[in-house]
Every structure is written in structure tokens, then in C-alpha cells.
Amino acid sequence: MVRVPVITVDGPSGSGKGTLAQRIAEALGWHFLDSGVIYRVLGLMVERAGIGGENVDKITDMAKSMPLSFDQGRVLLDGEDVSRIIRTETIGNAASKVAALPQVREALLAWQRNYARSPGLVADGRDMGTVVFPQAKVKIFLTASAEERAQRRYKQLKEKGLGVNLARLTEEIRERDERDSKRAVAPLVASESAYQLDSTAMTIDEVYGQAMQIISTALSDIQS
């Protein structure tokens, strides 16, 4: 069986990993997986249902039967376009909480791995290179300071017409970093074999340029 080549882009919220991973996928003509969307949709479902984090079995059942689909860039939850609402920091925090549940991560593991299809996959998330695709050909860990990430998220949300407070946003990002990096299962950490990039003082074009140099060299070494 021929293994599909995978490139992973991991990092904290607001680091630019989603934008970077999507550009890499487009450049290579590979498939793209935004793993965060899966957890954000589940977080939205849990918020709407008013379920507490202690109800693990119920949340796990929701993860297994999530009516999630994609249509021309839109994220659909049982036919409803939730593309905008899942990008709010409130839902991001809800996603972080459900993602800390081992049973939920196990339920969604196969779903994510099945996304690896020919000619290749670029996957972005928090544990793509450490847990979901440990065999990935290239692993990139992208980060930036909490303050810079909050500024980026603030700008994105304001452009979408969503109300947001910068100070609160910065605090939420720090809280999420703390929770994601210290959770018992699949914590947010760089794989030992990952190339680490700090985008704090870089434009997305500069980050993309460095990432493509890394990828080009790595893929050339593999093919030679």
C-alpha cells in the first residue's frame, strides 16, 4: 500500500497556521484539512445544547454522529452555514475544552486520518504532527506572541463585522494556550522533528516563503 504524503502545520490559535497550510496545499495541488473546524463545530454543538464538560459520554456521542459537511469553502452543520460563528473566540474556547477530552479525540482520529488522499494532504491543527500524522513527510510548528496573535484575530473579527474586545481577546488566547499546552492528551507541543517558525515579526508572505523552502528541500531529499 502506497502511503499518501502528508505535511503538517501545527501551532496555537492566531499563529497563521490555517492560512499558511491552505496556501501550501494550493501551491502543491494537494488536499487541505483544517482540523480545528471539526472541534469548533463540535464546540458549537455543545454550547447550543448547554452540555457541561462533565457529560463526556454525551459529547463523545455527538462527535461520532456530527452532521458536518463542506461545500465550496462553507462549513455546514446539518445544512446550516456556520462558517462565521465557529470562528469567534467563544466557540474557539468551547472547541479547546472538548478537544481536551480523550474520548472525543479518539472518536475523531479516524475521521481526520481518512482525509489523507492522493496526491497528498496538508493538515493544520494542534497535534497533526505528533498524534494524527506522526509519519508526516514535513512537519512545521508555527507560533507568534500572544499579543500579536490577539491583534491578528481582532482585525479578522472586526473585518467580519463581529464585536470584540482586544484586552479580553488577549486574555482568552493566553488561557487557551495554557489549557492546550497542559492537557493530558495530545497537548499543543512541537514534534521533535518539526521545523519551528516564529511569525511574530513576519508577514504571511515571508512565512510562506520560508515554509516552501523547507518543504521543497525536504521533498527533494525524499524523492532523490
Side-chain angles (χ1 to χ4, degrees):
M1 178 179 176
V2 178
R3 216 176 238 179
V4 175
V6 175
I7 294 171
T8 61
V9 182
D10 288 310
S13 177
S15 61
K17 63 184 182 297
T19 301
L20 176 62
Q22 195 158 15
R23 284 187 63 172
I24 293 171
E26 290 173 356
L28 296 176
W30 289 11
H31 298 287
F32 168 62
L33 170 63
D34 180 352
S35 67
V37 164
I38 308 168
Y39 290 99
R40 283 177 178 269
V41 169
L42 181 58
L44 175 61
M45 292 174 64
V46 169
E47 283 282 299
R48 286 179 169 179
I51 299 173
E54 71 282 354
N55 201 332
V56 179
D57 290 342
K58 179 64 175 177
I59 296 173
T60 303
D61 287 342
M62 293 172 75
K64 291 178 179 178
S65 59
M66 233 184 340
L68 170 65
S69 60
F70 302 94
D71 178 44
Q72 297 181 344
R74 297 186 305 157
V75 181
L76 304 178
L77 174 58
D78 200 16
E80 176 194 354
D81 187 349
V82 295
S83 305
R84 288 185 57 179
I85 191 171
I86 63 169
R87 294 301 177 184
T88 64
E89 207 58 33
T90 298
I91 298 305
N93 274 318
S96 177
K97 291 173 184 176
V98 298
L101 301 174
Q103 296 92 327
V104 169
R105 303 199 73 87
E106 183 64 30
L108 295 176
L109 190 58
W111 197 101
Q112 295 172 88
R113 286 178 173 166
N114 286 338
Y115 231 80
R117 301 162 191 163
S118 183
L121 174 71
V122 182
D124 101 76
R126 286 171 172 72
D127 64 345
M128 295 296 99
T130 53
V131 177
V132 183
F133 299 108
Q135 82 288 354
K137 301 296 185 184
V138 183
K139 302 176 184 180
I140 294 172
F141 191 86
L142 184 64
T143 189
S145 69
E147 292 77 13
E148 175 62 22
R149 288 183 282 127
Q151 286 281 358
R152 293 173 184 173
R153 185 69 76 189
Y154 177 82
K155 183 179 179 182
Q156 289 174 348
L157 295 176
K158 293 294 283 187
E159 288 175 348
K160 293 178 180 178
L162 300 172
V164 62
N165 178 277
L166 181 58
R168 177 57 187 157
L169 189 57
T170 305
E171 183 181 345
E172 288 178 344
I173 284 177
R174 288 201 180 104
E175 289 173 354
R176 187 172 181 185
D177 286 350
E178 179 82 3
R179 182 166 58 247
D180 288 352
S181 62
K182 292 188 175 181
R183 66 191 180 205
V185 179
L188 173 63
V189 294
S191 166
E192 291 183 0
S193 57
Y195 296 89
Q196 298 194 43
L197 295 177
D198 187 333
S199 69
T200 301
M202 298 170 66
T203 66
I204 184 59
D205 288 337
E206 290 171 333
V207 174
Y208 172 72
Q210 285 199 21
M212 289 305 290
Q213 285 184 356
I214 291 170
I215 292 167
S216 177
T217 300
L219 294 183
S220 295
D221 290 342
I222 292 169
Q223 293 167 358
S224 61

